[in-house]
Amino acid sequence: MPHPIESESYEILRRRVDTTGLGPLSRAVVERLVHTTADPTWAGDLLVDEPALVAGRQALADGAPLIADVRMVAVGITSRPAAVIAETADGIEEFVRKAPVGAVWALGQDVSIVTELVEHCRSGRIRPALVIALPAGFVGAVEAKRAVRELGVPALTNRGERGGAALATAAVNALLYL
């Protein structure tokens, strides 16, 4: 049962942002990110794709690996463990070997990891179930997120420079808690 403040917050959010036309997972993700930031403009900035989110949720339900770029993303996902790229000696290479197909990638901090992931997808070395790419930054973030979208892999991104670990975490939690 949600806390009364959370319930009231979602009521306010739904008065300010119309999410009724979205699929159930898209709505859950958009609302969770707007709630997390208290910023209704996220609703127009996110690029949600219901089939991609369905694929990611199903992969998680089936026990697919959940791979986070940084610990901050992983610790916010409390209902299941996530492996952290930044804590491994080989970085992304270890996960390319261990989970070449079907993993969910939650990237909210490190633009360079998003760029590496794109290259591995282009080369065919990995085929993710879902890529959540929401890093923030003035250098390379917009381009990296655009590159993810152009891959044609199931993805959740946004158009602009905004993002961050809390947003990637919130997106995963929205999929897990719906």
Side-chain angles (χ1 to χ4, degrees):
M1 188 74 169
H3 189 280
I5 291 174
E6 181 179 3
S7 296
E8 183 178 353
S9 180
Y10 272 89
E11 288 173 23
I12 292 167
L13 178 158
R14 290 176 182 135
R15 287 194 301 265
R16 294 183 184 184
V17 179
D18 181 10
T19 59
T20 58
L22 297 173
L25 289 174
S26 296
R27 181 178 184 184
V29 168
V30 168
E31 288 182 353
R32 177 73 63 139
L33 271 65
V34 169
H35 178 263
T36 298
T37 61
D39 182 354
T41 64
W42 271 101
D45 191 35
L46 286 168
L47 298 165
V48 292
D49 176 44
E50 189 72 12
L53 298 176
V54 168
R57 179 178 164 89
Q58 188 60 55
L60 292 170
D62 292 343
L66 175 57
I67 303 166
D69 56 345
V70 294
R71 183 147 182 75
M72 188 171 174
V73 172
V75 298
I77 302 165
T78 56
S79 66
R80 67 166 294 170
V84 182
I85 294 169
E87 294 180 349
T88 63
D90 290 340
I92 195 172
E93 293 298 325
E94 178 178 329
F95 297 101
V96 170
R97 286 190 306 274
K98 286 182 177 178
V101 177
V104 173
W105 297 73
L107 312 175
Q109 187 68 37
D110 194 325
V111 172
S112 63
I113 290 176
V114 176
T115 302
E116 283 185 66
L117 178 78
V118 166
E119 291 307 314
H120 286 295
C121 287
R122 282 185 183 145
S123 72
R125 290 190 66 207
I126 58 174
R127 290 190 327 270
L130 177 65
V131 175
I132 297 169
L134 295 169
F138 294 116
V139 179
V142 171
E143 295 80 7
K145 290 181 259 189
R146 183 181 313 116
V148 167
R149 292 190 304 273
E150 291 171 354
L151 285 171
V153 300
L156 167 68
T157 65
N158 67 306
R159 291 178 179 87
E161 298 163 332
R162 299 184 302 164
L167 284 296
T169 301
V172 172
N173 285 333
L175 295 178
L176 291 172
Y177 298 148
L178 180 69

